Amino acid sequence: MAEEISNPLLSLIKNQGLIDDLQYEEVAAELKRNGTPVFQLLQDFGIMKVHDILHVMASNLGTEVVSLRDHELSPDLLKLIPANVARMYHCVPVALNNGMLQVALADPLDPAHADEVGFASKRDVQVVVADPAEIEKAVDRYYGQEEAGDFSQILKELGSDKEMERAVNEAGAMDDVKQVENLANQAPIVKFVDLVLFQAIQDRASDIHFEPFEDEFRIRYRVDGALYEMAPPPKYLALSVISRIKVMSNLNISERRLPQDGRISYTVANRQVDLRVSTLPTQFGESVVLRVLDRAAVNLDLDTLGFPQYLHDYVAEVILRPNGIMLVTGPTGSGKTTTLYSCLRRVNTIDSKLLTAEDPVEYDIEGIMQVAINEPVGMTFGKALRSFLRQDPDIIMVGEMRDLETAQISIQASLTGHLVLSTLHTNDATGAITRMIDMGVEPFLISSTLMAVLAQRLVRTICKNCRTPFEPTEEQLSLLNLSAHDLGDKAFHYGRGCSTCNDTGYKGRKGIFELLIISEAVRLLINERAPTIVLRQKAIELGMVPLRDDGLRSIFEGDTTIEEVVKYT
């Protein structure tokens, strides 16, 4: 049977005998796979109807079910819950009776949400149950357009709050940990941090940066590989905002001299998002970066990665082989882990044992044993891999082949009948071979175990809403080593910029790829320690499509621009 899933509604339904073991496993697996709310899954699988689910939750909480369909909410009532809180926890105020605020929550079984709403509204809260779809419509209707106003308003309030500025400066000067923690939990700071996180996640940010400088405190977030700056908050807020993030991620507030790593489990629009937190001491305070791990924004499916057909077919065949090594290479943020996860999902069957060693584990995947590397306590890639070989696995994923020990054990695993998937940080596919030789791996071991190297980049895709054809200049064509004679009837496009893409001209990203197949001719060159350029020339001669050429394919298909391909290849 599937492992127990920590979801209050699913556990409640199971404990009341309203779902059998097979149905439970199906719902649990889908929940793990896509993060779809259990409320929706119970309906999709035909297990329970909306009316029945609502009454089960209400009965468990000792409360009532309310309908929001014809329920008009007054402006005075709506003011009791700030807009950012309503959007974040997906809730609306229903009534105010003798000082007790009745609130309909999309996830009423999570007591933490009720506590947060009570804290923000400064009132005692009674949770009532309503259809999440009706709650979502009410939130959009009553709170939908206030986001920018909320942000500018709270910035204005914090900028003019001299009392808070004095308290923060005093706490920082005295290094008073208790006072800093108190400030981090004050309502304006909590609201500000929640607004920043909500805005960034709604805009599909992959990373959020909090950066203190000598005269300013900058907040930026990365969308589709490009950084955008938010309206800068007052400089004095750096200490309390960063402390708030450390409180949320259970980090040590008093430790500002050493880097720390943590994790925040965050709820946005009734879906769970994990934030990986990294702090770094700098000259003017701690820099904090949050990596957004949003399962709803990532589709871990080999068929949706955008591989050309020949490449898709080859990778799908390689990962079914009983042994050997496949490497995925590229710089940080090029989607290597997503590609490997998608490969694992494809081969994750009941008759295969899969083990991964990751630093850290980014996404939980049902049916795969995932091990987090923790070097401070001695849990290294090498130690994990040595243990893996005693766990009788069929397929092993190594988060990164970063040293000789890891490479040697991976090769040993391959030679003893295991399929090994891993990543390397190199600029192209042939560079991975040179990198392994530089680590100290013997060439004959590389040539006898390595099956393929996939190099990849992520380029921004043109917004489909404002995509416009244009005639490239000779200068633009020269960047791609093309001339007007090479083009024929091929079209070029760019994004004009519109409200859909926030006037950037881009929306989303796609991969461009370079696949090196280790053929007999390439094996001979590896054994001769041939330099990268010779390996590359031979691979192209044998049919390898370089990254730049695959980028041209994306340009001619109208998916991306000349500038993006030139930037990443």
Side-chain angles (χ1 to χ4, degrees), residues 339-406:
T339 297
L340 286 184
Y341 276 158
S342 300
C343 290
L344 289 177
R345 282 280 304 278
R346 174 63 67 91
V347 295
N348 182 15
T349 56
I350 196 70
D351 58 348
S352 294
K353 168 96 170 183
L354 278 65
L355 290 170
T356 75
E358 304 171 61
D359 184 17
V361 174
E362 293 198 2
Y363 294 102
D364 301 327
I365 304 179
E366 175 96 7
I368 298 177
M369 306 298 295
Q370 295 172 273
V371 176
I373 299 304
N374 189 350
E375 294 198 355
V377 300
M379 186 59 170
T380 61
F381 277 109
K383 181 166 283 190
L385 282 174
R386 278 193 296 273
S387 298
F388 279 10
L389 296 181
R390 296 191 289 273
Q391 290 277 316
D392 187 31
D394 295 292
I395 300 168
I396 294 170
M397 183 188 113
V398 185
E400 184 185 345
M401 205 175 282
R402 59 175 63 160
D403 54 38
L404 177 60
E405 181 188 24
T406 308

Side-chain angles (χ1 to χ4, degrees), residues 515-529:
L515 178 67
L516 170 64
I517 298 171
I518 309 301
S519 61
E520 284 305 316
V522 173
R523 285 193 175 92
L524 289 173
L525 290 175
I526 294 172
N527 289 335
E528 294 168 3
R529 295 179 182 264

Side-chain angles (χ1 to χ4, degrees), residues 116-152:
E116 289 287 347
V117 174
F119 178 76
S121 63
K122 299 184 176 63
R123 291 181 182 274
D124 292 330
V125 164
Q126 179 195 5
V127 174
V128 294
V129 176
D131 184 346
E134 291 183 11
I135 294 175
E136 189 170 341
K137 287 178 183 174
V139 170
D140 288 343
R141 177 184 173 189
Y142 294 112
Y143 295 107
Q145 304 302 318
E146 299 181 28
E147 199 168 288
D150 279 354
F151 196 76
S152 57

Side-chain angles (χ1 to χ4, degrees), residues 294-308:
D294 183 359
R295 187 182 294 276
V298 178
N299 190 350
L300 302 177
D301 189 332
L302 207 58
D303 295 332
T304 61
L305 294 181
F307 285 159

Side-chain angles (χ1 to χ4, degrees), residues 36 89 91 108 118 163 167 186 206 220 267 290 311 351 411 455 465 495:
T36 306
Y89 297 108
C91 63
E163 181 62 30
Q186 288 208 1
S206 60
R220 299 190 289 172
T267 303
L290 278 60
L311 198 153
D351 58 348
I411 287 170
N465 196 52

Side-chain angles (χ1 to χ4, degrees), residues 540-554:
I540 292 172
E541 184 184 311
L542 294 171
M544 182 180 84
V545 179
L547 276 169
R548 172 62 64 85
D549 288 2
D550 196 48
L552 286 174
R553 173 183 65 88
S554 291

